[in-house]
C-alpha cells in the first residue's frame, strides 16, 4: 500500500484547518458587526457560495484565477517563482476554499448565540471591542467553533472535486486519499481502494472524537464558571 496519499491528505487537512479556523472566525466577526443588513446578506452570500457550488465549478474558478497563464497564477510565478496550480499548495487552496463556509457559518452561529447582555456589560466596564471579541464572544462561542472545526477538517480531508481541477492527480505530489480511492477504483484495484477508504474513515472518526471531546471540556468549563 502506498502511504503517500495518507501523508499528503493529513498535511493538506492540517494546514487547511489551521488557515480556515482563524479565517472563518475573522470573517464571522466582521460580518456580525456590519450594521447594514443588505451588506450583511451580500457578504454572507459570497462567503457561503462555495458551500452550494458544485466542487468542480469551484475548482474551475480556482483554476481560472491561479492557472499558470492567469493573472494571479502568473503573478506568483513572476514575483515568487511559485507555481500554484498542480502543486501541493493547490490541494491546500482547494481544501481551504471548500471548507471555509462550514467554519464561517459555524463561527457566526456560535457568536450570534452569545447573550448580548454579556457584550453590553463588557462595554460598560470599559473593555475595547477587541477585548470583547476575544474575552467574551470567542470564549463563550468556543464549543460551537470547535464543532465547525470538525466539519471543516472533515471537509478538507475529503475534498475531491475542486482538488482534481486545480491540483490534479499526481502520484506522490497531489494525490490525496479521495483521489487515491478514485484512481484505484478506476484501475479496478478494489482491494487497494478498500484500504484507502478504511484509512480515511478511521482518520475522520478519530478527529471527530478528539474535537468533540475538546468541545465537551470547553462546555464543562463554561458551565463550571
Amino acid at each position: 500500500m502506498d502511504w503517500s496519499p495518507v501523508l499528503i491528505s493529513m498535511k493538506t487537512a492540517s494546514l487547511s484547518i489551521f488557515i480556515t479556523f482563524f479565517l472563518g472566525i475573522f470573517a464571522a466577526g466582521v460580518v456580525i458587526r456590519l450594521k447594514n443588513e443588505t451588506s450583511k446578506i451580500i457578504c454572507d452570500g459570497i462567503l457561503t457560495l462555495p458551500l452550494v457550488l458544485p466542487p468542480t465549478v469551484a475548482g474551475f474558478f480556482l483554476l481560472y484565477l491561479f492557472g499558470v497563464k492567469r493573472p494571479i497564477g502568473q503573478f506568483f510565478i513572476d514575483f515568487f517563482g511559485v507555481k500554484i496550480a498542480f502543486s501541493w499548495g493547490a490541494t491546500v487552496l482547494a481544501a481551504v476554499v471548500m471548507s471555509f463556509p462550514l467554519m464561517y457559518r459555524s463561527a457566526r452561529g456560535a457568536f450570534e448565540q452569545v447573550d448580548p447582555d454579556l457584550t453590553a456589560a463588557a462595554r460598560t466596564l470599559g473593555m475595547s471591542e477587541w477585548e470583547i471579541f476575544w474575552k467574551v464572544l470567542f470564549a463563550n462561542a468556543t464549543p460551537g467553533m470547535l464543532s465547525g472545526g470538525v466539519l471543516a477538517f472533515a471537509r478538507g480531508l475529503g475534498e475531491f472535486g475542486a482538488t482534481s481541477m486545480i491540483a490534479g492527480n499526481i502520484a506522490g505530489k497531489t494525490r490525496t486519499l479521495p483521489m487515491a480511492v478514485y484512481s484505484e477504483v478506476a484501475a479496478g484495484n478494489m482491494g487497494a481502494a478498500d484500504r484507502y477508504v478504511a484509512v480515511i474513515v478511521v482518520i475522520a472518526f478519530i478527529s471527530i472524537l478528539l474535537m468533540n471531546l475538546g468541545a465537551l471540556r470547553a462546555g464543562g468549563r463554561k458551565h463550571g464558571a
Side-chain angles (χ1 to χ4, degrees), residues 80-147:
F80 302 105
V82 176
K83 187 182 79 167
I84 296 178
F86 303 104
S87 67
W88 175 72
T91 68
V92 178
L93 177 63
V96 168
V97 169
M98 298 307 298
S99 62
F100 169 80
L102 292 171
M103 186 64 227
Y104 157 71
R105 294 201 68 85
S106 296
R108 180 180 172 181
F111 286 148
E112 290 176 340
Q113 289 178 5
V114 176
D115 189 348
D117 291 339
L118 293 176
T119 57
R123 289 190 181 93
T124 61
L125 293 174
M127 294 177 67
S128 66
E129 291 299 317
W130 181 255
E131 290 176 318
I132 291 172
F133 179 80
W134 287 108
K135 295 182 179 180
V136 180
L137 284 175
F138 185 87
N140 286 278
T142 298
M145 289 188 294
L146 287 177
S147 297

Side-chain angles (χ1 to χ4, degrees), residues 139-208:
N140 286 278
T142 298
M145 289 188 294
L146 287 177
S147 297
V150 171
L151 296 175
F153 180 83
R155 184 67 184 84
L157 187 68
E159 167 50 35
F160 176 81
T163 301
S164 65
M165 293 291 289
I166 185 67
N169 186 14
I170 306 171
K173 187 176 181 181
T174 66
R175 181 172 292 174
T176 58
L177 277 169
M179 300 297 295
V181 172
Y182 174 82
S183 298
E184 297 299 346
V185 171
N189 301 324
M190 299 305 294
D194 289 341
R195 289 189 287 273
Y196 284 129
V197 168
V199 170
I200 197 170
V201 169
V202 169
I203 293 173
F205 186 69
I206 291 175
S207 300
I208 291 172

Side-chain angles (χ1 to χ4, degrees), residues 44-54 61 101:
D44 185 77
I46 293 172
L47 295 174
T48 308
L49 192 59
L51 185 64
V52 296
L53 282 176
F61 283 120

